[in-house]
Amino acid sequence: MKLVVTGGAGYVGSVCAAVLIEAGHDVVVIDDFSTGNRDAVPEGAMLVEGNIVDVIDGVLAEGGIDGVLHFAARSLVGESVGEPAMYWHDNLVVSLVLLDAMRRHGVTSLVFSSTAATYGEPEEVPIVETAPTRPTNPYGATKLAIDDAISSYCTAYGLGATSLRYFNVAGAYGEHGENHPTETHLIPLVLQVAMGYREKIMIFGDDWPTKDGTCVRDYIHIRDLADAHVLALEANQPGEHRIFNLGSGDGYTVREVIETCREVTGHPIPAEVAPRRAGDPAVLIASSARIQQELGWNPTRTELTRIVTDAWHFTRDLGERSHGAR
Ligand code: UDP
């Protein structure tokens, strides 16, 4: 298939683009490098540099596009609270422009990068797709609004779409890993301590109602996540919007993550307890039963040690590359 991947220079977008190319698809990456890295665009992808709003018509007008995978987005929860306008514009408005361009050019298959943040504070874990959606920050609210728009476009205009609601994506694949200009995620931050870039990791609260008092999250390997996108694309049906959670179904506490990073890196990784971070739910664990049953998705890299080991190799290699470049 010939596919457009928006945000193909970002962490998730670049891995998915690489996996699609490996599977034999032609990939056109659209990215404006506002947060993505030029080096992350996979070899073999055709790159269109620019904002989706400016370039999407030209790309789709070329014809022959079978589907779009839409990753380009703002994705920092804290930033979304301080700058909601940027989030509503860059996430919702840009997605609507994309949906309308697809409609105009008769492109009827979409895979959308959604998030567990659409659910907010869960009433029950593991979280199933029928759980109430009550996002607790603008980031989650923008993604939920896009999911709603996609549903109505599917019903009214025959779009076939899948929204994948990611839990805590981590790990690396080949040369592709997490390398954000502003890092807020636990595993890459802990690994930065092991690299000597940071003195210590702050644990945001140790008085949560969990087994060791720190928050529990469901970490999913980026490669398992990418596989789900390929399955979703193949299963899209005109007029249908499917929504699937993507996680490993296992929960690990912040302390368990830090301990695993110590084992993998051999570094003592000093940690200090800090106040809770605003907006953090105590426990987030996905039920991915629906995608396993309906699409036959079968995650194989669910061990936290495997996820951290892959992330560590990427972080170390990146450190060596940037050191060598100096
Ligand atoms: N966390 C932490 N210290 C950090 C970064 C994150 O204790 O420096 C905790 C955070 O409070 C949450 C978990 O690690 O409970 C995972 O956070 P992350 O930002 O990686 O993902 P989120 O669950 O917010 O999507």
Side-chain angles (χ1 to χ4, degrees):
M1 284 192 264
K2 189 167 180 192
L3 304 165
V4 170
V5 174
T6 74
Y11 171 44
V12 179
S14 66
V15 173
C16 288
V19 168
L20 289 166
I21 292 168
E22 278 172 30
H25 299 293
D26 288 334
V27 169
V28 180
V29 163
I30 299 179
D31 208 296
D32 63 0
F33 301 112
S34 56
T35 55
N37 299 307
R38 207 168 280 274
D39 296 348
V41 177
E43 218 170 290
M46 185 191 149
L47 172 66
V48 176
E49 182 173 350
N51 193 288
I52 292 169
V53 172
D54 301 322
V55 303
I56 192 66
D57 252 311
V59 170
L60 298 187
E62 298 257 314
I65 301 292
D66 300 298
V68 175
L69 295 99
H70 182 35
F71 300 97
R74 303 271 167 201
S75 63
L76 300 178
V77 168
E79 185 181 61
S80 79
V81 176
E83 298 202 51
M86 181 165 82
Y87 275 69
W88 285 106
H89 181 272
D90 291 357
N91 292 359
L92 179 60
V93 174
V94 172
S95 296
L96 293 176
V97 169
L98 172 68
L99 285 173
D100 286 333
M102 289 175 66
R103 203 181 144 210
R104 257 194 319 280
H105 294 284
V107 179
T108 56
S109 180
L110 173 73
V111 178
F112 176 58
S113 168
S114 188
T115 167
T118 52
Y119 296 110
E121 182 80 46
E123 280 168 10
E124 282 175 16
V125 287
I127 301 174
V128 291
E129 289 84 351
T130 48
T133 42
R134 290 186 294 241
T136 51
N137 53 64
Y139 166 62
T142 62
K143 289 281 185 170
L144 180 60
I146 300 163
D147 277 346
D148 287 345
I150 291 170
S151 287
S152 56
Y153 275 56
C154 288
T155 307
Y157 307 132
L159 178 68
T162 306
S163 292
L164 297 173
R165 291 188 171 159
Y166 312 158
F167 282 64
N168 290 63
V169 189
Y173 178 63
E175 295 165 0
H176 303 284
E178 238 171 322
N179 180 18
H180 298 121
T182 311
E183 193 51 77
T184 63
H185 292 126
L186 181 63
I187 292 177
L189 285 176
V190 175
L191 296 178
Q192 287 182 9
V193 180
M195 288 293 289
Y197 301 158
R198 290 172 188 268
E199 211 179 301
K200 60 190 170 197
I201 186 74
M202 307 307 287
I203 297 174
F204 297 146
D206 68 349
D207 55 353
W208 297 93
T210 61
K211 64 178 172 185
D212 65 14
T214 65
C215 287
V216 172
R217 293 289 181 274
D218 179 339
Y219 295 88
I220 170 173
H221 195 289
I222 182 78
R223 176 63 218 249
D224 286 335
L225 185 100
D227 289 343
H229 290 72
V230 178
L231 292 172
L233 188 69
E234 288 165 353
N236 272 345
Q237 294 290 338
E240 268 183 32
H241 182 204
R242 304 184 209 216
I243 297 178
F244 295 119
N245 290 341
L246 280 184
S248 296
D250 288 327
Y252 294 94
T253 67
V254 173
R255 283 197 195 281
E256 286 172 335
V257 170
I258 297 170
E259 197 46 50
T260 305
C261 292
R262 287 181 180 131
E263 284 160 18
V264 167
T265 63
H267 189 282
I269 307 180
E272 192 177 305
V273 177
R276 290 180 176 193
R277 185 172 69 178
D280 265 343
V283 180
L284 284 180
I285 299 175
S287 165
S288 301
R290 185 187 271 187
I291 187 166
Q292 298 197 25
Q293 279 156 17
E294 291 189 23
L295 302 191
W297 181 63
N298 179 27
T300 58
R301 300 161 184 85
T302 53
E303 282 294 311
L304 185 60
T305 305
R306 167 72 194 269
I307 295 173
V308 169
T309 301
D310 288 356
W312 174 233
H313 290 160
F314 170 78
T315 307
R316 235 182 21 195
D317 292 352
L318 185 70
E320 276 166 20
R321 278 205 301 277
S322 38
H323 190 71
R326 259 181 235 143

